[in-house]
């Protein structure tokens, strides 16, 4: 049925001749390099509210009228081609959620915010089909619309002898993609709703997995599925995309009113603002002030947008690892952060794979059955925070995929013949248990982590949360927990509620970009050089340049917390104190008492490495004796060890340890051989 478009065409001609004339001229100069004319919905609504309403309810008709209006205005393109731009609308009210799009919206305009999870390869759809008759050689062209049915009879001779000329047709690029609900909009643990997209022409390759976008398009139905040879009238759906607008959604996207801004600026003047923010993090957890301070600084993050010489970006996200005895609220810390950060993903140990964390390759149901890449948790949380519980339970192969994601904040993928790079600008808060269930206070804490040293060194701060038996502290903790269960817990009046804290952090991340002052630089430099000097004296490495960058990030985050544009000496002191706390807990050699970053960086302290070197020396002495004799005399080996600076008691201890471990065996009393040699 033909619809009279003349009234709407006239309205659009008036609109194009007045409001959009300059934009059309700009497009003419770039056409066909740029093919689309973008119309702001608000300006259309201002000119004609009825036409704007009609666009929502009958988008096919209104878009057709807009295209016809452009053609009738008869603009000339320099290259001689016909000026037929795509008409795209943007800035529609995007309050709809994917899960709420229903049958009432079929063939209507919808707009929603989402994150891309999957994208297929480009395919080509016939726009103009060319048919040739085998009998009379008549050639006919047909414009392929949505309801196009293939002609059977030749229009000239009337015989059923038509053959499609594939090489002579006109084609349109199309691409399918899949999106899901934005994580911050999903409430109550409900699964995030998915929907398929169909992108055409110049929208192809405009989206990539992990992108946060606003989609405007028409809800369409797919043909009914056939089940067991019987046609069921059940339809699946997709969005025929009209326009795509990129979003950079994280804390910066939270809406802050003028009143909120005034309140935030007033709060920032409080000299105790740091303590208030720290107490507002997981207020239900008793104590653990240092951990709460670190988490607060992670939420604020360092200064964004800094680059090294050569253009490589400098990471501004802070990574934190909590390793502690069971039942000390580590998971509660993670959950409290996932509630504060508007864009966050919480995953747990055994239930996550490397592909689930980074990028998965899977069969492409959107395209031709090939392979496609689907974004994992760290890609989807890009711009926000990822909480990884039971970090030590993740398989070693899967953990290996985190190295690049944590340091350079990208994931380079080569799977199923697809090579790609994804952005993972994500702050990671991880929790793990000690290797043997509980910490052994007599051993170096660094030896008790079942996490590869190369991965440990990428965390800015590592907190061992140890269950210490202290009667006074235990009594206070028990009273706090029991009062909470009786609903008698004291209400803290001077802490932020979740919503206010979220807005405060959002404002700081959006508006404050602190720069390092000379005072702060000198303090951090002095701390770094002093530690390196001391470590040179004792022969260990106390701090590396990677941790120096971590100190800068923490100092910048504290300046943001105060809403200060300068990182001053106070901020540097806070960062140094926090780092000193962590070093005293885990980067200390129990035997020497010296700071030793290698406890984390290599998994062994200096004293451990010296033990191994002495053991290797004695093993080499035994080998030397075995070259001359059938067995090595233990007394002679101990005597020879003196020339290498190993005293008798240490040599005897090492030999007995080797016997116990089965490295050597006693062939006869006082004479040994090496196992397997």
């Amino acid at each position: 049925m033909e619809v009279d478009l003349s009234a709407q065409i006239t309205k659009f001609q008036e609109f194009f001749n007045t409001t959009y004339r300059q934009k059309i001229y700009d497009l003419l100069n770039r056409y066909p390099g740029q093919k689309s004319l973008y119309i702001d919905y608000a300006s259309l609504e201002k000119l004609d509210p009825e036409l704007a309403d009609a666009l929502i309810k009958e988008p096919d008709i209104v878009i057709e009228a807009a295209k016809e209006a452009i053609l009738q205005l008869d603009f000339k393109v320099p290259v001689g081609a016909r000026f037929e731009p795509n008409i795209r609308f943007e800035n529609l009210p995007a309050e709809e959620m994917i899960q709420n799009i229903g049958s009432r919206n079929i063939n209507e305009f919808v707009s929603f915010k989402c994150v891309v999870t999957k994208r297929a390869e480009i395919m080509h759809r016939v726009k103009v089909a060319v048919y040739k008759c085998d009998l009379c050689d008549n050639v006919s062209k047909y414009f392929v619309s949505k309801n196009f049915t293939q002609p059977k009879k030749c229009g000239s001779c009337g015989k059923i002898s038509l053959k499609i000329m594939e090489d002579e047709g006109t084609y349109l690029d199309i691409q399918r993609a899949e999106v899901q609900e934005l994580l911050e909009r999903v409430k109550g643990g409900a699964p995030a709703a998915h929907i398929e997209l169909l992108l055409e022409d110049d929208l192809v390759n405009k989206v990539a997995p992990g992108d946060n976008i606003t989609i405007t398009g028409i809800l369409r139905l797919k043909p009914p599925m056939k089940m067991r040879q019987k046609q069921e009238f059940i339809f699946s759906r997709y969005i025929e995309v009209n326009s795509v607008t990129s979003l950079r959604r994280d804390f910066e996207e939270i809406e802050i009113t003028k009143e909120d801004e005034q309140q935030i600026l007033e709060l920032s003047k409080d000299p105790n603002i740091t303590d208030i923010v720290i107490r507002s993090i997981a207020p239900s957890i008793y104590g653990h002030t240092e951990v709460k301070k670190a988490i607060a600084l992670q939420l604020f993050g360092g200064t964004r947008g800094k680059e090294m010489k050569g253009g490589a970006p400098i990471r501004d996200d802070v990574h934190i690892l909590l390793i502690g005895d069971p039942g000390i609220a580590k998971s509660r810390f993670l959950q409290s952060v996932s509630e504060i950060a508007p864009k966050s993903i919480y995953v747990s140990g055994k239930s996550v794979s490397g592909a689930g964390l980074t990028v998965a390759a899977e069969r492409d149901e959107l395209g031709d059955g090939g392979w496609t890449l689907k974004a994992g948790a760290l890609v989807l949380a890009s711009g926000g925070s990822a909480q990884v519980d039971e970090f030590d339970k993740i398989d070693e192969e899967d953990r290996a995929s985190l190295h690049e994601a944590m340091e350079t904040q990208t994931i380079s993928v080569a799977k199923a013949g697809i090579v790609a790079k994804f952005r993972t600008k994500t702050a990671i808060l991880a929790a793990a248990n000690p290797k043997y269930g509980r910490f052994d206070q007599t051993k170096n804490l660094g030896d008790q982590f079942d996490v590869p040293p190369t991965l440990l060194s990428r965390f800015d701060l590592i907190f061992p949360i140890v269950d210490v038996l202290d009667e006074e502290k235990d009594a206070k903790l028990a009273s706090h927990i029991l009062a909470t269960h009786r609903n008698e817990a004291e209400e803290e009046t001077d802490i932020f509620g979740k919503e206010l804290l979220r807005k405060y952090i959002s404002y700081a991340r959006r508006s404050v970009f602190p720069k390092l002052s000379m005072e702060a630089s000198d303090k951090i430099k002095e701390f770094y050089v002093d530690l390196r000097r001391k470590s040179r004296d004792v022969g260990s490495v106390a701090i590396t340049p990677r941790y120096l960058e971590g100190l800068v990030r923490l100092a910048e985050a504290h300046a943001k917390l105060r809403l200060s544009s300068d990182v001053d000496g106070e901020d540097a002191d806070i960062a140094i104190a926090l780092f000193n706390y962590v070093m005293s807990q885990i980067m200390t050699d129990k035997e020497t008492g010296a700071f030793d970053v290698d406890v984390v960086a290599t998994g062994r302290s200096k004293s451990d490495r010296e033990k191994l070197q002495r053991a290797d020396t004695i093993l080499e002495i035994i080998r030397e004796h075995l070259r001359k004799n059938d067995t090595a005399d233990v007394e002679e080996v101990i005597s020879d060890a003196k020339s290498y600076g190993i005293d008798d008691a240490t040599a005897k201890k090492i030999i007995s340890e080797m016997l116990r471990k089965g490295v050597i065996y006693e062939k006869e009393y006082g004479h040994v051989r090496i196992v397997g040699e």
Side-chain angles (χ1 to χ4, degrees), residues 469-518:
L469 300 173
D470 179 327
E471 193 170 334
E472 187 184 340
K473 190 179 170 189
D474 292 344
K476 285 181 180 176
L477 175 60
S479 299
H480 174 79
I481 292 171
L482 294 169
T484 304
H485 281 275
R486 293 196 308 269
N487 285 330
E488 293 174 11
E490 289 181 31
E491 283 290 323
E492 293 191 63
T493 52
D494 58 344
I495 67 167
F496 291 164
K498 247 179 237 169
E499 202 54 43
L500 179 57
L501 179 61
R502 197 181 279 136
K503 285 180 177 178
Y504 189 95
I505 296 169
S506 170
Y507 181 82
R509 287 175 69 119
R510 184 190 303 179
S511 312
V512 185
F513 301 94
K515 291 183 178 174
L516 209 59
S517 67
M518 278 311 296

Side-chain angles (χ1 to χ4, degrees), residues 120 160 203 308 372 387 403 478 485 541 558 570 600 643:
I160 303 174
L203 294 182
M308 301 179 197
T372 186
Q387 299 84 47
H403 287 81
H485 281 275
V541 180
H558 191 263
E570 180 199 346
V600 168
S643 60

Side-chain angles (χ1 to χ4, degrees), residues 15-143:
F15 180 67
F16 291 146
N17 272 322
T18 53
T19 315
Y20 268 65
R21 194 163 191 85
Q22 187 55 50
K23 287 195 176 182
I24 292 172
Y25 284 143
D26 292 342
L27 180 61
L28 276 164
N29 293 330
R30 293 195 288 268
Y31 192 85
Q34 185 178 325
K35 291 184 178 178
S36 295
L37 176 67
Y38 284 86
I39 297 173
D40 187 0
Y41 179 79
S43 58
L44 181 68
E45 193 173 37
K46 192 175 175 184
L47 174 81
D48 193 327
E50 283 184 20
L51 190 58
D53 290 343
L55 175 67
I56 303 292
K57 292 295 177 189
E58 298 176 322
D60 290 315
I61 293 171
V62 176
I63 292 170
E64 187 60 40
K67 285 181 178 176
E68 191 59 39
I70 285 267
L71 288 175
Q72 288 184 17
L73 288 170
D74 201 24
F75 288 103
K76 299 296 180 193
V77 185
V79 292
R82 198 176 182 201
F83 184 57
E84 292 181 277
N86 298 310
I87 305 295
R88 305 200 183 281
F89 293 89
E90 54 187 3
N91 295 333
L92 272 78
E95 296 306 315
E96 197 69 81
M97 289 178 71
I98 296 172
Q99 65 186 28
N100 296 334
I101 296 172
S103 54
R104 69 185 187 284
N105 302 113
I106 293 168
N107 293 327
E108 287 187 3
F109 237 17
V110 290
S111 185
F112 54 88
K113 292 170 182 174
C114 55
V115 57
V116 182
T117 56
K118 194 158 63 170
R119 187 185 84 182
E121 292 300 316
I122 297 174
M123 295 183 288
H124 311 285
R125 187 169 69 194
V126 179
K127 192 176 179 184
V128 177
V130 179
Y131 288 89
K132 185 179 180 183
C133 178
D134 281 345
L135 297 175
C136 67
D137 290 340
N138 178 56
V139 175
S140 49
K141 292 184 179 181
Y142 295 88
F143 181 77

Side-chain angles (χ1 to χ4, degrees), residues 241-296:
V241 179
N242 179 263
S243 73
V244 176
T245 310
S246 178
L247 291 172
R248 282 276 174 248
R249 282 193 70 83
D250 54 7
F251 275 112
E252 289 79 0
E253 289 297 319
I254 292 175
E255 191 180 337
I256 295 173
T257 62
K258 286 282 181 191
E259 293 77 25
D260 291 332
E261 187 176 345
Q262 205 170 345
Q263 185 185 8
I264 288 163
L265 291 170
E266 202 61 44
L267 287 166
S268 70
K269 293 171 187 170
D270 190 325
N272 298 319
I273 185 63
T274 303
D275 292 334
I276 295 169
V277 170
I278 290 167
R279 285 203 307 277
S280 304
I281 306 284
S284 62
I285 299 172
Y286 178 78
H288 300 299
T289 308
E290 302 297 332
V291 177
K292 290 182 180 182
K293 186 185 291 184
I295 288 172

Side-chain angles (χ1 to χ4, degrees), residues 290-363:
E290 302 297 332
V291 177
K292 290 182 180 182
K293 186 185 291 184
I295 288 172
L297 297 183
Q298 183 189 48
L299 287 166
F300 283 90
T303 304
R304 284 183 300 142
K306 292 189 297 181
E307 290 184 347
M308 301 179 197
K309 283 181 181 174
I314 297 174
R315 168 162 67 94
D316 59 274
D317 288 307
V318 176
H319 299 318
I320 299 171
L321 176 62
L322 311 177
I323 297 188
D325 293 329
I328 311 194
K330 296 188 301 296
S331 299
R332 192 78 63 83
F333 274 124
L334 268 62
Q335 284 160 359
S336 68
V337 172
S338 75
E339 287 167 7
I340 295 166
K343 184 179 184 184
S344 67
I345 290 185
Y346 180 98
V347 294
S348 181
K350 278 290 182 186
S351 65
V352 70
S353 67
L357 275 173
T358 55
V359 175
E362 60 178 43
R363 282 281 175 192

